[in-house]
Amino acid sequence: MNNNELIDLANAAKNKSYSPYSKFRVGAALLTKDGKVFQGANIENAAYGVTICAERTAAFAAKLDGNDEFLAIAIASDSKDYITPCGACRQVLMELCGEDLDVIVTNGNGDVKSFKLNELLPFSFGDKNLNS
Ligand code: THU
């Protein structure tokens, strides 16, 4: 699975977005080390605060399926700008996927950028802090 294929799966997931309030569709595709892909999309709620982002739906689906080793997550939206994960999603991805995760983001021109999760959430809080 290459980055472009993972991005295509993030775009396909975007079509499953439930975003009647923001009308801002986001899709994610999370790749495990053994080649499985878990898709996610944002799911909104009339009580806005309980909305969940695409990245977290993908990460939770993967965790529930018993996966603990990941390579990359691709994120797609309809925006002309690059969409990077929100702070809450960065924290969840750090916990479930680890700091070496490749975060692949796209913009409306089809351009691609890639970051390590550690670049997006440096000096993160994690289980290491609870046990020290
Ligand atoms: N959203 C995501 O799903 N992922 C992001 O990285 C940024 C924001 C969603 C949450 C909400 O449903 C909509 O986009 C607008 O904020």
Side-chain angles (χ1 to χ4, degrees):
M1 167 87 36
N2 64 36
N3 283 0
N4 286 336
E5 290 170 326
L6 198 62
I7 290 166
D8 285 348
L9 290 171
N11 271 301
K14 188 182 69 182
N15 294 324
K16 301 177 191 167
S17 166
Y18 174 69
S19 42
Y21 304 107
S22 72
K23 306 205 181 339
F24 191 90
R25 303 184 307 160
V26 185
L30 177 59
L31 177 64
T32 69
K33 278 195 180 158
D34 56 1
K36 285 186 276 182
V37 176
F38 291 84
Q39 290 173 298
N42 54 329
I43 298 179
E44 297 187 343
N45 193 285
Y48 300 156
V50 296
T51 288
I52 186 166
C53 295
E55 297 90 329
R56 268 177 287 159
T57 57
F60 291 153
K63 182 65 180 170
L64 284 170
D65 189 61
N67 299 280
D68 289 312
E69 295 194 305
F70 299 91
L71 289 176
I73 186 168
I75 302 158
S77 79
D78 299 312
S79 172
K80 63 178 176 30
D81 299 320
Y82 291 103
I83 299 302
T84 57
C86 78
C89 287
R90 292 177 197 204
Q91 182 70 24
V92 168
L93 291 171
M94 186 64 79
E95 176 85 25
L96 300 183
C97 305
E99 65 179 8
D100 289 331
L101 186 74
D102 287 316
V103 181
I104 301 159
V105 297
T106 59
N107 69 9
N109 290 332
D111 303 318
V112 177
K113 276 194 213 174
S114 179
F115 303 92
K116 286 289 178 191
L117 183 58
N118 196 31
E119 294 179 82
L120 299 180
L121 189 64
F123 307 106
S124 63
F125 179 84
D127 66 340
K128 62 187 182 299
N129 303 108
L130 294 176
N131 297 321
S132 63

